[in-house]
């Protein structure tokens, strides 16, 4: 039978439930399993209620499940808050004083056992061990993983955690609970562990990114933290700026000087960067900017997820200019999309905005496919300056709107640029004809930019009904379509990844021909608005989730079924 | 050999006749020539304002960026290529008003940049509103009852932030200014020259004559530029006497020297190594 | 015959051509004429080429004309640059060394005569006098106007200018040029002189605005300069902030404390304010923000005009919330729109963005109608706090989404607000159900907000073809429609002033029923995009001007005629 | 009579157990009670960060605004109603990082506000990146090779800007802190208290013990708080000894006193006068 088990561990911030997750994920990986794990946390450092939820499977998984098979309550409130999510035969691990009536229960004195092992903090390892034991994992494999995970710490810490592991296994052995009999043979892992943040950072390095500048902002900070780690291995300088305005302008300066550079932000930080986007646009300096969405308005829900910035990102900054807006669909796609972002920014000399969200950047999963450098995204060296350097004009008019770009001080040709409207040689100009020509020059890039765009990801696109979605929700919507079809409903999927500029086909034909339902993580259906404006097509209905939590497969399934009368 | 003429721009100058900026422009050229820098070896970064237009009126590489953001753009350029010779032209509004936060943190970051602030104590390009350095009680179209905010003392603030090269020049003294610019460019780290620059159109209080009467070169004051306390005292002075020259100079490792990532050379010159990346990725797929 | 004469005076920045304009306008006003004057200037303080162009008429005028009847060349380049705009029987006033072949010419040594009068600067008065003499004005009236205009200056300046006036009149008398024989009887003026900036500032005062905060930015600065002047007469404090971020947050603070407050900005300044807009939105603090558009991207053309920020303004700031976007049609409408903006901001506790542009704020004209205070816009006093102050909840759920708003420290009831998502009592909350309810509460305001919206201004809306436009272009498009109709073409107008939220009717029926042409001052047709998204309607064609100059009536007429095959 | 209990909030405190903020909260309450201010007579304005959450944990009017913008919001509230008692809670990142420009200019503007900076020398809420006040060489997840930027000395910068009330408190000394807060609130003009606040979770260098070892009350140092030079010297000190208490105090007209528009009372209390407006408009239609 197919393996598909979801384990949820709830605890307070600062309690270290991430350790439970790491142990589970690493053990799964070394036994050849696939998994996808989400983190749910509040905007605080200690206390409150957080959880870590991992779905384990023997085939690739792209979405979290809504039903929980094994629940670990480390904070005394997890069970109460999540009881409704439990499967009928679920098992609850909780402290002795709790009473999850009606569910198979194993009482574990997590802290007591941890203290006996030598350190209260090892309660996480106790919990992980109990989970793994119930899942049927061998203690030997688990013990190896513990050594690896704590390997960089002092000897004593490893010993304590090994003891805690032992205690967790023993507690399960003492009970008469029947868990799951998965096969736990140590074997070549089915892939590598990534979250969106690490995939984005690695992708940036693969694209030859040399400079990162940012200001801390959840959920974008992780991208830069990963970049800092990569800086130990690759030529890369990452600077924490004084604010987001500095960050985006630093990245523009770095790109102007000739290095690929990256910034990442969210919410208010993105708002503060909008002016800089316009500077990049009019000086035709490449700019790659990741907007990791979180719910707003204003500070909103800083640690949660949403897709509320689509229309803002399309139009951010005064006046008009061409830009790319890309929204990767999966963790692996983050790696590829950011490489394309650098390629597109350099090729078209325009801002490229990558729209991800808290769900995508902080979801970790086993990526089965081997990530490969995109050769097209490897930075080219500076083009040869003209034989007569004095003839060089940074903004020369060309048919496709793209002018030859040189770097300052790298040749005799002078590079002049300004955020004012300017003549081809880069000097400010108030001239009317020049203004019209420069606007036209910039916009002339659009047709070829459209050619670059990936079509939407399509599945059963000839179905009676289509779900239409974008970005990080791919895994959920894809799974929902599978479930709907298995219920006998003829539902397909058109999922947008390259949002802007939007090529007319195949969407135009697909969406004017069939009935479709919009699935988005915002309250007003922004993609729908854009599709109406661009293609004149109209959804029959929409499924909108805007509670800051990852989109739910079960909900898409039930709402779609209700809407199409299935 | 580089000559002043190499820096002559064909672009029409847009400043008012008599503007103090006409003292700064030749001083810059003199300094660049003395530094033996050809136009293509120099990058000017500027903000928006009359001061921000400066790069157009010289012949060299430049990016005339957003209001207030010149230092951030310049910092980015230096991160990418710390071999660049970067000089920043900013105004008192541009640098101490809109750009105040970057001013503070650029000093803290200590990249090897030279900042020239054309301080005319007024918003010139937007036609005469008070700037952070406008003297108290001066009236403008907005400050109709006179400026009440405390004047910003750029040199004192820079000192309080630990700046290692703090100087004041005067547009009316080109030779001194050219020397200051050279010293600032030679200094390894962040250098500030606040330049008294008469605005003949909107500032009728702080005129050429007004400044001329007041400026005194610290060289004549028996001041030791390594003495922080004395420098701070001079930096807070404003009124009867306005000290010019290098108020403070102090050697210290700059950003690049302290940054391990930059030790192997400028980022722009670091080769792309596909093998290293592939090896790194391969490792991630192993146990 | 109807009077419709256009006078254009070109000169360098700093030369004072504004004085010529003031003299012409004031004299016209005192003789009972109508006029509309535009200012064209570069982003520099001295030199370059600027012009002032006034259209004089005996009936109200709402648009500049493209054909010039009387051209004054004070800088030696005006004639060359504007020769093509001259009417066949136009007169050119220029310096002796110039030779405008093929036009009726009067050579005047402006500076020579001014120096004789005592001051070179009086060349403007010489030029104005010559214009007025050619227009047939009496010297007595003109002399009175000179005394009034220079009345606040020293005695000597008045004398010099009176002499200059005399010299100008004499120069015309010596020539045998036949000018225009208008009637110049001193009489009750037909109205008051306003430009958009002064109308906005006065309207704000009429709405009880008490605080202004801004950072200088063309073309918005004039609004605040006028507000400063009004502060001499009305309770009002205007503070120049250190940057636009401070300005918008100050205005939010002032509104939160209970005072109506205003900020105005443009371009990059608006970009920097976007984060603050979200804070106003989520704390449900009223916010009135004027975005005086100028062409971008980035610094663009700082002193010129455009309509490039429509879609940005609709979506500025992260995530979603209700907002108003209003775009006054005329100078007088500025006065009314800003009053409504304050009324709407307070009533719905939402951000209200007023979209004007350089053309509208700096165009001065005779406003015939008497401007009246809108009684609905007079600020109400703070509502009574609940009898039990501890029951007060700033963000209480209500049917229409509007919660009772109190001011801090003005009663025993505590006012608590945060830019984080929050519970009804104003405390941060991560709760899922609360999040959904709060988003719904905010969006629940939209239906009643729509009810507030003014329908588009309609003229001949049953015509075969409609022009569809918005905001400041009203005068031009209106006049174009008149001209097209007089050419026998059945063209009407639907001009939007209340842009967002957009009520479906009457636009939906009008635009799906008829053929229509979009007229906008941007390059991509932003209003058209929005109308497609909102109403599913599609223009047949568009007339887009994006050169930074005021929209041209002649161009609308000829392009429309060409498009509809007239 | 106002009591400490009046300030008790029912809202769950979200700080880490042992956090230095637990020293600041009671000091605030003590000061407010000593000032005889009831919760409804007080307005707290805060930014985003752990410090920014403070108002939720007290019972009073508040607006918990954007990261870095608390001073701007507070300034607007004071422009509208200068009778308000406004206290601002900010963090070292909030106030000296993102909000650096408002910090500078709020000091120059000199509105009658009290600013409390919870200076834990770290970005707490975003989990431990360096802030402007982080000591040199400390490593974090981002500053993996140690902080290289020069540390921001808030008191020195405030002094260089002409601030009239400059003090330092320590979360470990509630009584002194409560007194400082009172003195700051009594001071007419802008007052700054930078508060040493241990972050037990992310700052393992500047701990309670570390601070305790170093703080010395300026009262014990024979320092005259009217002596600018001496204050500046103390403000630049950091290391073996960290001075606390009022480093500098200087009386001077504040914004309201200097502003003719505010002389007839707070804007909030100024009546709407339709007749005056109508008369003004009528005049515009006459010659
Ligand atoms: C974000 C933004 N805000 C405002 C402006 C408008 N602006 C242009 S120049 C300027 C001030 C210029 O003053 P300063 O920096 O002192 O330069 P100066 O003209 O005096 O040399 C302002 C406010 C702008 N371009 N961008
Ligand atoms: C515009 C913006 N940028 C970044 C953030 C993310 N952010 C929240 S708190 C914080 C820093 C907090 O540090 P500090 O001000 O020192 O407060 P602490 O948590 O240490 O008390 C940051 C960067 C934000 N909310 N808004
Ligand atoms: S306005 Fe002042 S600063 Fe600007 S160019 Fe003229 S004189 Fe110089
Ligand atoms: S992270 Fe630090 S500052 Fe924040 S609550 Fe915890 S101990 Fe306090
Ligand atoms: Mg200036
Ligand atoms: Mg902090």
């Amino acid at each position: 039978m197919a393996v598909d088990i979801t384990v949820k561990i709830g605890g307070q911030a600062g309690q270290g439930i991430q350790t439970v997750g790491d142990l589970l994920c690493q053990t799964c990986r070394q036994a050849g399993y696939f998994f996808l794990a989400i983190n749910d946390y509040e905007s605080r450092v200690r206390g409150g209620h957080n959880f870590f939820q991992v779905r384990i499977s023997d085939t690739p998984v792209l979405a979290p499940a809504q039903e929980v098979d094994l629940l670990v309550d480390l904070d005394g409130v997890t069970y109460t808050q999540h009881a409704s999510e439990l499967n009928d035969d679920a098992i609850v691990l909780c402290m002795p004083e709790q009473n999850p009536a009606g569910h198979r229960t194993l009482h574990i004195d997590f802290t007591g056992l941890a203290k006996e092992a030598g350190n209260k903090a090892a309660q996480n390892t106790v919990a992980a061990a109990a989970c793994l034991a119930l899942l049927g994992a061998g203690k030997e494999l688990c013990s190896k993983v513990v050594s690896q995970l704590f390997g960089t710490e002092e000897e004593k810490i490893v010993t304590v955690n090994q003891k805690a592991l032992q205690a967790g296994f023993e507690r399960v052995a003492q009970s008469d609970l029947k868990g799951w009999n998965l096969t736990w043979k140590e074997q070549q892992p089915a892939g590598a562990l990534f979250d969106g943040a690490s995939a984005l950072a690695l992708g940036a390095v693969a694209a030859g990114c040399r400079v990162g500048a940012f200001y801390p902002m959840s959920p974008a900070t992780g991208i830069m933290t990963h970049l800092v780690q990569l800086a130990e291995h690759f030529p890369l300088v990452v600077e924490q700026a004084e604010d987001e305005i500095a960050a985006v302008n630093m990245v523009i300066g770095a790109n102007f000087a000739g290095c690929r550079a990256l910034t990442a932000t969210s919410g208010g930080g993105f708002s503060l960067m909008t002016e800089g986007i316009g500077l990049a646009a009019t000086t035709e300096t490449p700019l790659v900017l990741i907007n990791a969405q979180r719910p707003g308005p204003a500070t909103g829900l800083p640690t949660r997820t949403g897709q509320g910035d689509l229309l803002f990102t399309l139009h951010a900054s005064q006046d008009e200019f061409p830009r790319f807006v890309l929204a990767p669909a999966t963790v692996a796609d983050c790696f590829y999309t950011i490489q394309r972002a650098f390629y597109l920014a350099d090729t078209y000399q325009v801002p490229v905005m990558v729209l991800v969200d808290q769900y995508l950047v902080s979801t970790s999963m086993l990526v089965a496919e081997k990530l490969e450098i995109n050769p097209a995204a490897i930075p080219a060296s500076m083009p040869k300056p003209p034989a007569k350097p004095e003839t060089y004009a940074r903004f020369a008019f060309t048919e496709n709107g793209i002018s030859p770009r040189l770097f300052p001080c790298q040749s005799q040709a002078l590079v002049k640029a300004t955020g004012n409207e300017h003549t081809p040689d880069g000097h400010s100009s108030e001239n009317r004809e020049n203004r019209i020509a420069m606007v036209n020059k910039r916009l002339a890039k659009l047709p070829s930019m459209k050619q670059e765009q990936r079509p939407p990801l399509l599945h059963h696109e000839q179905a009676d009904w289509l779900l239409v979605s974008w970005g990080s929700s791919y895994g959920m919507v894809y799974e929902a379509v599978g479930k709907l079809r298995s219920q006998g409903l003829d539902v397909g999927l058109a999922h947008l990844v390259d949002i802007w500029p939007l090529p007319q086909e195949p969407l135009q034909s697909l969406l004017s021909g069939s009935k479709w339902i919009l699935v988005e993580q915002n309250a007003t259906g922004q993609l729908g608005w854009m599709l109406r404006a661009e293609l004149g097509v109209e959804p029959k209905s929409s499924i909108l989730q805007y509670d800051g939590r990852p989109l739910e497969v079960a909900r898409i399934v039930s709402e779609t079924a209700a809407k199409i009368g299935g | 050999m580089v000559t002043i003429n190499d820096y002559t721009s064909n672009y029409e100058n847009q400043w008012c006749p008599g503007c103090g900026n006409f003292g700064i422009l030749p001083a810059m050229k003199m300094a660049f020539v003395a530094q033996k820098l050809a136009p293509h070896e120099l990058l000017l970064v500027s903000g928006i304002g009359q001061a921000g237009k400066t790069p157009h009126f010289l012949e060299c590489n430049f990016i005339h960026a957003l209001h207030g953001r010149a230092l951030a753009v310049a910092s980015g350029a230096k991160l990418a290529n710390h071999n660049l010779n970067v000089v920043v032209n900013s105004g008192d509004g541009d640098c101490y008003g809109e750009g105040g936060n970057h001013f503070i943190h650029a000093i803290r970051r200590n990249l090897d940049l030279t900042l020239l602030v054309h301080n005319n104590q007024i918003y010139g390009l937007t036609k005469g509103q008070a700037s952070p350095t406008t003297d108290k009680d001066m009236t403008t179209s907005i400050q109709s009852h006179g400026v009440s905010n405390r004047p910003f003392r750029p040199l004192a603030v820079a000192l309080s932030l630990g700046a290692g090269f703090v100087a004041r020049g005067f547009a009316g003294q080109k030779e001194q200014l050219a020397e200051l610019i050279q010293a600032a460019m030679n200094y390894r780290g962040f250098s500030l020259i606040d330049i008294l620059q008469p605005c003949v159109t909107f500032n009728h209080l702080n005129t050429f004559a007004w400044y001329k009467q007041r400026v005194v070169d610290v060289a004549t004051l028996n001041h030791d530029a390594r003495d922080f306390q004395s420098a701070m005292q001079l930096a807070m002075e404003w009124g009867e006497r306005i000290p010019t020259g290098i108020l403070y100079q102090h050697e210290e490792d700059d950003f690049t020297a302290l940054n391990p990532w930059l030790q192997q050379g400028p980022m722009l010159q670091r080769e792309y190594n596909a093998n290293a990346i592939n090896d790194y990725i391969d490792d991630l797929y192993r146990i």
Side-chain angles (χ1 to χ4, degrees), chain A, chain B:
Chain A
M1 209 203 81
V3 174
D4 188 353
I5 292 174
T6 287
V7 184
K8 181 172 212 151
I9 304 105
Q12 298 188 350
Q15 209 170 352
I17 55 172
Q18 181 67 44
T19 310
V20 188
D22 291 347
L23 279 168
L24 290 179
C25 292
Q26 274 304 337
T27 315
C28 287
R29 180 167 175 264
Q30 301 196 15
Y33 285 110
F34 294 88
F35 54 84
L36 179 141
I38 57 171
N39 274 296
D40 178 293
Y41 51 103
E42 302 178 0
S43 180
R44 60 193 286 178
V45 170
R46 290 284 179 271
H49 170 69
N50 293 1
F51 64 78
F52 178 92
Q53 180 174 322
V54 56
R55 180 175 177 190
I56 303 164
S57 169
D58 52 1
T59 54
V61 263
L62 284 177
Q66 268 68 57
E67 308 207 328
V68 174
D69 300 294
L70 176 53
L71 182 76
V72 184
D73 184 333
L74 289 174
D75 57 3
V77 304
T78 301
Y79 173 72
T80 327
Q81 295 205 12
H82 302 282
S84 65
E85 301 159 21
L86 292 170
N87 266 327
D88 285 348
D89 59 348
I91 296 178
V92 178
L93 306 187
C94 62
M95 290 175 282
E97 55 273 24
Q98 281 188 281
N99 183 19
H103 286 286
R104 297 200 289 157
T105 302
L106 180 62
H107 285 114
I108 308 188
D109 180 5
F110 300 107
T111 46
L113 293 177
K115 275 184 201 154
E116 272 173 39
N119 192 330
K120 202 186 130 184
Q123 59 177 300
N124 296 303
T125 305
V126 175
C131 292
L132 287 162
L134 282 166
L135 292 167
K139 213 168 57 195
E140 203 177 321
L141 172 62
C142 299
S143 164
K144 195 181 123 201
V145 171
V146 164
S147 297
Q148 286 166 352
L149 272 187
F150 295 97
T152 55
E153 312 273 343
E154 314 165 42
E155 184 66 32
K156 207 191 129 206
I157 295 190
V158 181
T159 317
V160 167
N161 280 286
Q162 291 290 3
K163 280 195 196 154
L165 182 83
Q166 179 73 24
F169 265 86
E170 276 169 14
R171 182 67 194 87
V172 171
Q174 289 156 11
S175 79
D176 51 6
L177 268 183
K178 219 182 98 37
W180 296 263
N181 249 327
L182 314 192
T183 319
W184 291 89
K185 230 182 65 208
E186 201 173 331
Q187 60 182 69
Q188 181 57 28
L193 194 158
F194 283 100
D195 57 20
S198 60
L200 286 165
L202 187 61
V205 167
C209 175
R210 290 276 173 275
V211 175
F214 81 109
Y215 186 79
M217 182 108 192
S218 309
T221 314
I223 300 163
M224 287 294 157
T225 312
H226 281 287
L227 212 56
V228 168
Q229 288 160 11
L230 290 167
E232 299 299 328
H233 306 276
F234 304 102
L236 192 53
V237 56
V238 183
E239 181 61 5
Q240 181 177 323
E242 54 271 28
D243 56 31
E244 289 84 352
I245 301 174
V248 72
N249 281 285
M250 280 180 180
V251 162
I252 292 169
N255 268 300
F256 179 73
C259 275
R260 286 190 173 176
L262 176 69
T263 190
T265 187
S266 179
F270 181 69
S271 278
L272 292 167
M273 289 191 182
T274 52
E275 191 193 17
I277 296 169
L279 178 66
T282 200
T283 59
E284 304 189 45
T285 307
L287 169 65
V288 177
L289 188 161
I290 301 173
N291 178 2
Q293 297 163 100
R294 66 190 221 185
T299 314
L301 292 167
T303 59
R304 306 206 176 270
T305 203
Q307 296 186 311
D309 295 353
L310 178 63
L311 291 170
F312 180 32
T313 305
L314 286 190
H315 302 117
S317 210
Q318 65 268 22
D319 216 334
E320 305 166 309
F321 49 84
R323 74 187 78 198
F324 284 99
V325 179
L326 313 176
T330 63
V331 167
D333 196 22
C334 284
F335 177 80
Y336 292 109
T337 298
I338 195 81
Q339 289 183 80
R340 282 186 65 238
F342 278 102
Y343 156 76
L344 294 170
D346 271 23
T347 307
Y348 295 94
Q349 303 174 18
V350 296
V352 181
M353 259 84 82
V354 178
L355 268 177
V356 293
D357 50 36
Q358 182 270 336
Y359 166 74
L360 190 56
V361 294
S362 70
T363 288
S364 43
M365 60 179 286
L366 195 87
V367 172
E369 57 180 302
K370 180 68 168 292
L371 298 183
E372 305 275 4
I373 296 175
N374 175 352
I378 297 177
S381 49
M382 188 178 89
K384 247 174 78 97
K388 294 189 179 167
E390 64 280 11
T391 63
Y392 177 64
R394 171 66 188 89
F395 304 98
F397 294 118
T398 60
E399 208 159 311
N400 62 6
I402 304 169
S403 315
R405 174 170 168 245
L406 297 180
F407 309 150
C409 308
Q410 303 307 302
S411 81
Q412 301 266 342
L414 298 181
V415 184
K416 303 174 178 180
T418 169
N420 290 51
E421 194 53 277
H422 44 260
T423 43
D425 67 359
H427 280 293
S428 304
S429 165
E430 303 255 1
N431 182 278
R432 186 172 182 159
E433 287 68 38
N434 179 75
R435 160 70 181 176
I436 297 169
M438 273 294 164
V439 173
N440 292 346
K441 163 191 155 45
R442 289 188 290 263
L443 294 176
K445 299 174 185 176
L446 274 166
S448 29
M449 285 170 62
K450 275 195 189 173
Q451 298 292 326
E452 295 277 359
Q453 295 294 75
R454 293 186 296 173
L457 307 179
L458 301 177
H459 298 281
H460 303 288
E461 69 272 20
Q462 303 305 342
D464 282 351
W465 286 83
L466 279 184
L467 300 186
V468 176
S469 50
W470 64 278
S472 70
S473 61
Y474 178 69
M476 291 81 130
V477 188
Y478 176 79
E479 182 160 329
V481 165
K483 292 206 167 154
L484 285 159
R485 297 191 68 83
S486 70
Q487 292 177 18
L489 296 168
D490 191 16
V491 177
L493 172 63
H495 183 86
L496 280 83
V497 283
D498 284 4
I499 311 271
W500 194 264
L502 184 75
Q504 214 160 335
E505 291 304 331
L507 272 179
Q508 176 85 65
S509 332
L510 269 176
L511 301 189
S512 30
S514 70
K515 297 169 283 190
W516 55 284
I517 297 172
L518 194 66
V519 186
E520 288 192 74
Q521 293 204 68
N522 56 52
T524 64
Q526 300 188 23
L527 179 71
W529 207 76
M530 182 195 107
L531 291 175
R532 240 179 347 243
E534 279 292 293
L535 308 175
V537 294
E538 183 77 36
K540 284 271 173 277
S541 184
S542 4
I543 299 173
L544 303 171
Q545 185 178 326
Y546 45 94
D547 56 3
R549 274 66 178 180
L551 194 58
E552 294 175 354
V553 173
R555 173 183 182 154
I556 306 171
V557 170
S558 65
E559 289 198 23
T560 304
K563 281 174 202 293
I564 69 179
Chain B
M1 216 196 60
V2 186
T3 68
I4 290 276
N5 278 344
D6 295 338
Y7 278 97
T8 306
S9 163
N10 292 323
Y11 186 71
E12 188 207 355
N13 192 299
Q14 295 167 3
W15 291 322
C16 308
C19 174
N21 283 325
F22 286 108
I24 301 177
L25 195 61
M28 287 171 64
K29 294 182 187 176
M30 284 156 64
F32 300 155
V33 170
Q35 294 283 86
K36 299 199 172 48
L37 283 177
H40 74 273
E41 295 170 319
L42 184 76
L43 172 61
L44 294 189
V45 181
S46 69
I48 298 295
Q50 300 286 19
K53 290 181 177 182
T54 307
H56 291 280
F57 309 148
L58 281 155
E59 184 68 3
C60 63
N61 296 290
F62 69 79
I63 178 163
H64 175 207
L66 295 172
H67 185 53
R69 315 305 169 194
L71 281 174
V73 171
S75 301
K78 285 293 278 193
L79 291 176
N81 181 2
H82 55 258
N83 283 352
L84 287 176
N85 297 297
V86 180
V87 174
V88 178
N89 291 99
S90 188
D92 42 330
D94 195 48
C95 191
Y96 308 138
E98 183 88 45
N101 209 30
H102 314 306
F103 176 68
I104 296 177
H105 294 282
I107 292 175
R108 296 187 47 242
R109 193 169 283 119
N110 198 24
L111 277 157
D112 184 20
L113 291 171
T114 293
L115 168 63
L116 309 182
V117 183
H118 304 220
N119 182 357
N120 54 10
Q121 302 189 252
I122 203 77
Y123 282 18
L125 192 58
T126 50
K127 306 199 172 169
Q129 301 81 19
S131 89
T133 55
T134 303
D135 283 338
K136 260 208 168 169
D137 299 329
M138 179 161 146
T139 58
T140 79
S141 58
I142 295 295
Q143 289 74 23
S144 58
H145 291 275
V147 169
S148 81
N149 288 2
R150 293 165 170 147
F152 186 81
R153 303 270 171 255
L155 306 188
V157 175
L159 286 171
S160 74
L161 288 159
F165 186 105
V166 177
R168 181 183 279 126
F170 170 36
Q173 291 175 344
K174 281 197 271 289
E175 282 71 24
Q176 181 202 32
L177 182 56
E179 275 169 33
L180 290 175
I181 296 174
Q182 279 205 69
M185 291 180 76
N186 289 336
Y187 177 78
R188 205 184 167 83
F190 184 89
S191 47
L192 163 67
I193 311 180
D194 184 75
I195 307 171
L196 306 172
Q197 175 242 318
C199 167
V200 297
T201 303
F202 294 112
N203 189 335
H204 301 298
L205 171 62
N206 312 99
T207 59
F208 265 106
W210 191 94
Y211 289 123
K212 201 162 275 173
Q213 240 166 52
R214 288 166 172 81
V215 288
V216 308
D217 193 326
V218 289
T220 69
L221 293 178
N222 195 21
H223 162 65
D224 179 352
R226 288 163 308 182
D227 180 345
F228 177 87
Q229 289 286 339
S230 159
M232 181 60 94
Q233 224 157 348
L234 290 170
M236 295 291 293
E237 266 194 57
W238 187 265
E240 292 308 288
R241 193 171 84 164
I242 303 176
T244 60
I246 302 177
L247 274 71
Y248 188 67
Q249 182 160 1
H250 167 91
E251 309 301 320
E252 186 176 320
D253 279 347
D254 73 345
F255 183 92
T256 309
L258 291 170
N259 195 297
W261 294 322
L262 297 176
Q263 288 318 299
Q264 288 158 59
M267 284 298 154
L268 181 62
Q269 290 164 17
R270 307 286 294 279
E271 291 288 307
Y272 183 88
N273 184 341
N275 289 341
I277 299 170
N278 279 325
D279 288 352
Y280 182 89
I281 296 177
D282 284 348
D283 262 1
L284 296 175
Y285 284 78
R286 297 201 189 91
I287 296 196

